[in-house]
Amino acid sequence: MCSKGLTLAPKPGNTGRRLLETPSGLINSIGLENPGIPHFIEHELKTMMDLGPVVLANLSGAGLETYVEGAALLDKTDVPMIELNISCPNVKAGGMAWGLDCRAASEVVSAVRKATSKPLMVKLSPNAPDLSGVARSVVAAGADALSLVNTFQSFAVDIEKGRPYFDNVTAGLAGPAIKPIALRMLRDVMLNVPECRDGRIPVAGLGGISCWQDAVEFIMTGAKAVQVGTATFANPHAMEEIIAGLISFMERKGYGEIEDMRGIAL
């Protein structure tokens, strides 16, 4: 179970409308609203961990210093793993996301790696011009695992008002509409990053997974695990149904464990 993005200081999030349903998708402009890492550690983390599943803390930031300080605070807790969101804007680089450039991605992962001894999963942005290159750079910088992909940058117009739908103008597209593209990007990384292909660096696949068949596609394309987010807005039982469907499918096909089908479509 993974937290929403956490920043060192509390963030109120974006103003105006934050969600827009599209055909087979959902555009969100939340703006990383969260209570801040100190509040999360004091008030939410124990509740999450008491529920039973392994907990991942998603670490977000802007300046390098906030990433490092946030990682250092989480390092002192019992949270088992940190998922590092490098889709956040690099303020000093004019607002370009850390994860769009191999050098910037390597810089932030290296800094966070030094600040924590916990397993570090790096969440990649699909908006990077060279996603496989970014993946290779963060692996070299110390990532223990990868998760991909984050939302796709998108845009919508309020035709009644004749202006952008979101106050923040652009926003992130998620949901079933992005699944085929996310799946292709997973394949690209699996084929072009040797450490992922041979299993040394596990990859969590995500992007539009809403049923067990979607999960099977990602696993057969090499994902060691899958993440489900947007689907739970429409169906709170989506993850339970995906697990049940996976079990039934594996029994029907004679797969004794997930590894028996992982990567067979590559």
Side-chain angles (χ1 to χ4, degrees):
M1 181 168 58
C2 189
S3 75
K4 193 74 173 76
L6 298 164
T7 52
L8 184 62
K11 283 180 66 70
N14 292 332
T15 59
R17 297 176 178 177
R18 296 185 175 190
L19 295 174
L20 175 66
E21 290 189 55
T22 64
S24 297
L26 181 71
I27 305 177
N28 83 81
S29 180
I30 307 302
L32 287 177
E33 178 179 356
N34 76 98
I37 291 173
H39 187 283
F40 170 77
I41 291 172
E42 183 176 352
H43 298 283
E44 285 86 27
L45 179 57
K46 184 179 185 303
T47 301
M48 286 180 69
M49 294 188 66
D50 285 346
L51 293 174
V54 173
V55 172
L56 282 70
N58 182 289
L59 172 61
S60 300
L64 196 61
E65 300 80 8
T66 64
Y67 271 116
V68 170
E69 290 182 45
L73 288 176
L74 291 170
D75 189 64
K76 297 174 184 177
T77 72
D78 292 329
V79 71
M81 181 181 289
I82 295 173
E83 182 181 47
L84 182 64
N85 178 6
I86 60 173
S87 296
C88 301
N90 181 352
V91 176
K92 292 183 179 179
M96 182 181 73
W98 288 93
L100 297 188
D101 175 77
C102 294
R103 184 177 298 178
S106 176
E107 180 183 10
V108 67
V109 172
S110 295
V112 170
R113 175 73 286 165
K114 294 174 184 175
T116 179
S117 60
K118 293 185 182 296
L120 187 62
M121 176 185 285
V122 180
K123 188 172 186 177
L124 303 183
S125 169
N127 303 303
D130 180 11
L131 185 61
S132 294
V134 172
R136 287 191 295 269
S137 70
V138 301
V139 167
D144 297 301
L146 303 178
S147 58
L148 59 129
V149 293
N150 209 330
T151 56
F152 288 73
Q153 192 172 48
S154 56
F155 177 70
V157 175
D158 184 333
I159 61 172
E160 296 300 328
K161 297 179 179 179
R163 60 184 179 83
Y165 185 87
F166 297 106
D167 286 358
N168 206 47
V169 184
T170 59
L173 175 64
I178 74 169
K179 191 205 77 177
I181 312 173
L183 198 61
R184 190 269 299 168
M185 290 182 163
L186 170 64
R187 180 178 183 272
D188 288 348
V189 168
M190 294 302 301
L191 293 177
N192 292 293
V193 183
E195 295 89 344
C196 296
R197 183 65 184 268
D198 65 21
R200 284 177 288 165
I201 299 294
V203 179
L206 61 145
I209 297 172
S210 58
C211 60
W212 66 264
Q213 292 94 334
D214 295 337
V216 170
E217 283 194 78
F218 275 81
I219 293 166
M220 287 184 172
T221 309
K224 193 80 170 180
V226 297
Q227 293 185 13
V228 180
T230 301
T232 59
F233 284 101
N235 177 14
H237 299 287
M239 286 183 278
E240 295 171 326
E241 294 172 3
I242 288 170
I243 291 169
L246 276 173
I247 292 171
S248 178
F249 174 76
M250 291 172 66
E251 289 175 348
R252 176 165 63 85
K253 299 292 287 186
Y255 295 129
E257 55 185 27
I258 291 287
E259 199 63 25
D260 291 344
M261 62 175 174
R262 191 183 73 81
I264 62 173
L266 290 173

